[in-house]
Amino acid sequence: DHGCEKRTIKIIAMETAFVKSTTNEGLCTISFFHPQSNSLPAAILQRLAQAITEAGKDKNCKLILLCSSGEKAFCAGASFDELTQIKTETEGLHFFSGFAHVINAMRTCGKIIIGRIHGKCVGGGVGLAAAVDYALATEDAAVKLSELAVGIGPFVVGPAVERKIGLSAFSQLALDATAWRSAEWAHQKGLFAELYEDAQGLDEGINRIVSRLLASSEAALQELKTIFWKDTAYWETLLLERAAISGRLILSEESRKAIAAFKSK
């Protein structure tokens, strides 16, 4: 069983945020959890980037499975608690660079990454789903890029999302920032490769694709990874430049009020 759920139940009960990496028979499963709908504070982002980078260097790892724990949201995106604490552009750059480092780690690790998307994706969560090489999702995995609604924009995750679903679909998500798009919409646009009715079907689909890829040529998989991410080397600097934009905009009075309104709901 290549799913995430059974392995993390005991940890979830403690409601402690974590990133966990486990390698078994060539598959490195990287799972993350945060009690606030699997949101992404700086510490989680740093550990995710580190875990992905280490998996890329691990000779025992042939394939990576990225997933989150719990049964509700796959990932709620940036931590609002940390967004409210940003006081300078430098602090803003540092926080949003966390997303840049994760996406760049996924891009450059050299291993194919399978994504298990079991629930809703918001903001940076959509970025994670877009940056995996093959995403499988459940029918309740609706997506939303909510950044504009809090005075910023999906600048850091934008290149990954646009690369996967095209400029038109990305612009729809970016501009209509309060509306959910269904998992079926995401499937049609190419964000999700496969769609399943429930978590059981999702894990059966993951077992199928993981087993098939683990039986495939490792050298061929590495070559495919290189081809999939062709012409993205400039993201190393681009995503940090985008992080600086978000880091500047998050300091605006408009953004402060919007985040406060969201938190008070």
Side-chain angles (χ1 to χ4, degrees):
D1 181 0
H2 299 298
C4 291
E5 295 302 290
K6 295 173 184 174
R7 300 176 190 175
T8 51
I9 289 170
K10 291 181 180 177
I11 302 174
I12 294 168
M14 299 189 305
E15 294 206 339
T16 303
F18 69 83
V19 173
K20 184 180 179 185
S21 183
T22 309
T23 301
N24 183 33
E25 296 182 353
L27 178 69
C28 178
T29 301
I30 299 173
S31 58
F32 65 95
F33 171 74
H34 192 281
Q36 293 177 332
S37 301
N38 288 325
S39 63
L40 297 170
I44 292 281
L45 290 167
Q46 182 180 358
R47 289 175 200 158
L48 266 179
Q50 183 178 1
I52 293 163
T53 300
E54 288 174 355
K57 296 175 181 176
D58 183 359
K59 293 179 180 178
N60 295 316
C61 168
K62 184 175 180 179
L63 185 70
I64 297 171
L65 174 64
L66 178 66
C67 54
S68 63
S69 293
E71 296 178 355
K72 295 183 180 179
F74 165 72
C75 178
S79 165
F80 274 24
D81 287 343
E82 291 199 4
L83 289 180
T84 59
Q85 294 170 16
I86 295 171
K87 299 292 189 289
T88 66
E89 286 190 27
T90 301
E91 290 177 2
L93 170 62
H94 176 73
F95 176 77
F96 288 104
S97 292
F99 291 95
H101 295 321
V102 171
I103 291 174
N104 276 323
M106 296 170 78
R107 179 178 67 82
T108 61
C109 71
K111 308 285 171 73
I112 295 292
I113 304 176
I114 305 297
R116 181 187 187 276
I117 317 298
H118 71 270
K120 290 181 176 179
C121 305
V122 183
V126 180
L128 291 181
V132 302
D133 298 296
Y134 196 95
L136 300 88
T138 56
E139 291 176 355
D140 58 357
V143 299
K144 178 169 67 172
L145 288 179
S146 58
E147 287 89 342
L148 189 61
V150 291
I152 55 176
F155 298 113
V156 181
V157 302
V161 179
E162 182 184 340
R163 166 185 164 273
K164 187 60 72 75
I165 67 175
L167 179 59
S168 175
F170 166 58
S171 64
Q172 291 170 41
L173 284 175
L175 294 174
D176 196 2
T178 59
W180 290 99
R181 295 295 195 278
S182 70
E184 179 59 38
W185 181 92
H187 184 215
Q188 291 173 357
K189 301 300 181 187
L191 182 66
F192 301 147
E194 300 179 24
L195 210 55
Y196 292 90
E197 186 176 348
D198 53 29
Q200 181 181 344
L202 175 63
D203 285 330
E204 288 172 359
I206 288 171
N207 283 334
R208 179 192 58 80
I209 188 72
V210 164
S211 297
R212 185 174 297 173
L213 292 177
L214 287 176
S216 301
S217 160
E218 186 167 6
L221 289 175
Q222 290 173 349
E223 294 290 351
L224 282 171
K225 179 81 176 188
T226 301
I227 290 169
F228 292 160
W229 290 93
K230 181 174 175 277
D231 299 330
T232 59
Y234 68 100
W235 285 22
E236 205 66 46
T237 52
L238 173 70
L239 299 191
L240 294 176
E241 291 168 0
R242 295 288 186 86
I245 297 173
S246 292
R248 183 177 75 249
L249 290 174
I250 200 68
L251 298 173
S252 71
E253 188 63 29
E254 186 179 25
S255 183
R256 293 286 183 216
K257 288 179 179 177
I259 291 172
F262 263 88
K263 287 195 70 177
S264 66
K265 285 183 180 178

